[in-house]
Amino acid sequence: MKVLVINCGSSSLKYQVLDMQNEELLCKGLVERIGIDGSVIKHERADGKGYKLQVPMDTHKEAIENVFDALLNTESGVLASLDEIGAVGHRVVHAGEKLTESTLITDEVVKILEECFDIAPSHNPPNVLGIKACQALMPNTPGVAVFDTAFHSTMPASSYIYAIPYDYYTKYGIRKYGFHGTSHKYVSERAAKMLNCNLKDLKIITCHLGNGASVSAIKDGKCIDTSMGFTPLMGVVMGTRSGAIDPAILEFIMSHENLTIEEMLNVLNKKSGVFGISGVSSDFRDLEEAADNGNERAQLALDIFAQKIKAYIGSYIAELNGADVLVFTAGIGENSISMRQKICANLENLGIKLDPERNNLRGDEAIISTVDSKVKILLIPTNEELMIARDTVEVVAKAK
Ligand code: ADP
């Protein structure tokens, strides 16, 4: 079966087509600036053939129409007809507590996702726009929703309940949900395969370090804790997000800087993190270059980032009563040799010993710990799209 995987943001849309007979990637692409001047689609087939086209796209539906044109293109397309697509897998960020595993999209499911707009206002509305556009354009092709929150639904209440009046949980669903679940799940499964072990026998800590970053603790193949919270703003320091800070700081800054709550949250989401600390960039390549050239705040940002990740690793080793595996993934985890080194430095007492030579690589699956490291350290490129496509095939097969 060929599966179209769609990941809709507010003004962007990423897509891939995979042939699931052999899990082969056929093409991928990106639409940017949907609803904004200068909309553009970049399409690339697996053999490198593709194109970049500027064409007005006011809605997600128009964006998907352009994706279909790309898939059917005679020069660089991958389909003779749209009927070849057996199912569409949609990345959906938030499913609240009602949906805890990947599911066939029905009107009822869409309704539940709309009910989550309140708790995921920047993510779920564009996800649902993508779903509705596909339903309108391919009414006979089944759609499957795969949730970022699903993998974390196994956390015990002691991990997900906040120490605020319990009523806020029962009335509004205020609790830790966790995100990047598809990635944490994928790399934990790969880790077991790479080590030739049964996933259920491993205690794993996964570090998804990209623009957004989160750390998870996994036991028996199930998530028992994760660093992101009610929203993806919580946890470690990120590119532009603050991660955890003392909540009383909000009121202080708002009154001194005369900010509304929306403006304050914008600062915490878009102007904080390593970008806010350094004043240089949210991109770790820029920060590493600036730090090498003597920029002290860039160095400080890198130091703080590493320190926060270390703190989660330590606390998850305690929660898991030891760890067998530590995984690095996503843009920074896969590519920043120096950040992996910095995070793992001085953790020998916890059984974590990075091998500097094995660590000297980017973007490939590898074991990068020393032979005598009690905790095996793995580098595993994430593949959320493959995971979404796998779930899509499974859910569609079950529904038949
Ligand atoms: P997203 O959360 O947007 O999916 P990614 O997982 O693609 O993010 O990670 C993007 C980040 O990865 C960039 O902002 C950059 O900080 C980091 N990154 C990518 N390549 C490198 C590299 N060679 N060295 C250091 N950091 C890198």
Side-chain angles (χ1 to χ4, degrees):
M1 183 199 283
K2 286 180 187 146
V3 174
L4 170 64
V5 175
I6 294 219
N7 180 353
C8 260
S10 54
S11 65
S12 71
L13 184 160
K14 290 185 200 151
Y15 65 92
Q16 288 192 0
V17 176
L18 295 104
D19 186 340
M20 293 308 287
Q21 207 160 7
N22 45 5
E23 300 199 332
E24 184 192 349
L25 174 68
L26 301 181
C27 71
K28 62 181 178 180
L30 170 67
V31 183
E32 286 176 298
R33 302 182 66 84
I34 302 168
I36 309 172
D37 272 357
S39 313
V40 59
I41 175 165
K42 292 175 207 154
H43 171 75
E44 191 186 348
R45 198 163 64 185
D47 62 6
K49 274 202 173 168
Y51 60 82
K52 180 174 166 183
L53 178 70
Q54 276 217 3
V55 48
M57 289 177 259
D58 287 336
T59 63
H60 286 73
K61 194 165 162 217
E62 286 172 42
I64 290 177
E65 281 169 342
N66 278 280
V67 171
F68 289 167
D69 287 346
L71 303 183
L72 297 168
N73 186 279
T74 44
E75 296 285 308
S76 57
V78 293
L79 306 173
S81 148
L82 285 179
D83 294 340
E84 288 174 45
I85 296 176
V88 184
H90 293 268
R91 178 196 177 203
V92 176
V93 171
H94 217 308
E97 284 191 313
K98 287 202 179 143
L99 298 168
T100 56
E101 52 187 47
S102 302
T103 180
L104 199 69
I105 296 169
T106 60
D107 290 349
E108 179 61 20
V109 168
V110 171
K111 213 171 124 231
I112 293 172
L113 299 180
E114 286 174 341
E115 282 164 20
C116 293
F117 282 7
D118 200 20
I119 54 175
S122 49
H123 290 103
N124 272 38
N127 296 161
V128 170
L129 280 177
I131 290 173
K132 289 191 167 169
C134 282
Q135 285 177 327
L137 295 166
M138 313 171 84
N140 299 319
T141 309
V144 172
V146 179
F147 310 110
D148 267 38
T149 46
F151 182 59
H152 303 299
S153 65
T154 49
M155 283 188 289
S158 53
S159 292
Y160 70 70
I161 290 290
Y162 290 116
I164 53 177
Y166 196 82
D167 282 357
Y168 295 135
Y169 167 58
T170 47
K171 266 196 340 212
Y172 306 119
I174 307 285
R175 52 159 282 180
K176 177 191 283 190
Y177 289 100
F179 300 89
H180 296 142
T182 310
S183 175
H184 289 288
K185 184 172 181 221
Y186 173 78
V187 297
S188 58
E189 290 179 4
R190 278 303 307 157
K193 289 231 165 72
M194 280 171 73
L195 296 171
N196 219 353
C197 291
N198 190 337
L199 180 60
K200 292 204 165 183
D201 296 334
L202 293 174
K203 296 174 185 173
I204 308 178
I205 298 172
T206 48
C207 302
H208 176 108
L209 311 179
N211 274 321
S214 65
V215 184
S216 290
I218 297 158
K219 197 180 194 172
D220 300 329
K222 291 188 179 134
C223 176
I224 62 154
D225 208 350
T226 192
S227 60
M228 280 181 168
F230 176 62
T231 73
L233 181 55
M234 174 59 185
V236 299
V237 167
M238 303 178 220
T240 61
R241 288 178 231 159
S242 63
I245 62 168
D246 181 341
I249 294 171
L250 271 68
E251 195 270 335
F252 186 94
I253 295 179
M254 285 167 69
S255 62
H256 282 74
E257 297 272 321
N258 207 11
L259 299 184
T260 62
I261 187 66
E262 286 77 18
E263 289 166 336
M264 184 72 242
L265 287 172
N266 192 45
V267 170
L268 296 178
N269 271 304
K270 306 257 170 76
K271 297 183 178 164
S272 299
V274 290
F275 170 72
I277 300 166
S278 66
V280 172
S281 170
S282 62
D283 192 305
F284 279 62
R285 287 163 287 201
D286 302 337
L287 290 171
E288 286 169 4
E289 194 185 327
D292 286 346
N293 290 329
N295 186 314
E296 288 181 10
R297 272 172 51 194
Q299 185 61 56
L300 179 64
L302 294 169
D303 292 347
I304 294 173
F305 182 84
Q307 199 263 353
K308 299 297 174 205
I309 308 285
K310 264 178 196 285
Y312 270 101
I313 292 172
S315 91
Y316 288 165
I317 287 182
E319 282 192 46
L320 290 164
N321 188 18
D324 303 305
V325 188
L326 174 66
V327 181
F328 288 103
T329 193
I332 302 156
E334 291 166 26
N335 294 300
S336 178
I337 295 164
S338 60
M339 183 47 71
R340 291 195 301 261
Q341 179 79 46
K342 222 169 158 47
I343 292 169
C344 294
N346 301 317
L347 293 181
E348 298 84 6
N349 278 333
L350 296 181
I352 294 173
K353 287 194 207 167
L354 192 76
D355 183 323
E357 273 176 26
R358 290 174 162 191
N359 183 43
N360 195 15
L361 87 165
R362 302 177 204 279
D364 266 333
E365 284 190 351
I367 300 176
I368 55 174
S369 42
T370 61
V371 177
D372 65 339
S373 180
K374 191 176 148 297
V375 179
K376 298 281 166 267
I377 310 171
L378 305 186
L379 193 173
I380 305 180
T382 194
N383 196 340
E384 287 156 289
E385 291 79 10
L386 175 59
M387 206 69 193
I388 292 171
R390 280 183 188 160
D391 276 16
T392 301
V393 171
E394 202 181 308
V395 169
V396 169
K398 265 194 210 152
K400 274 187 180 155

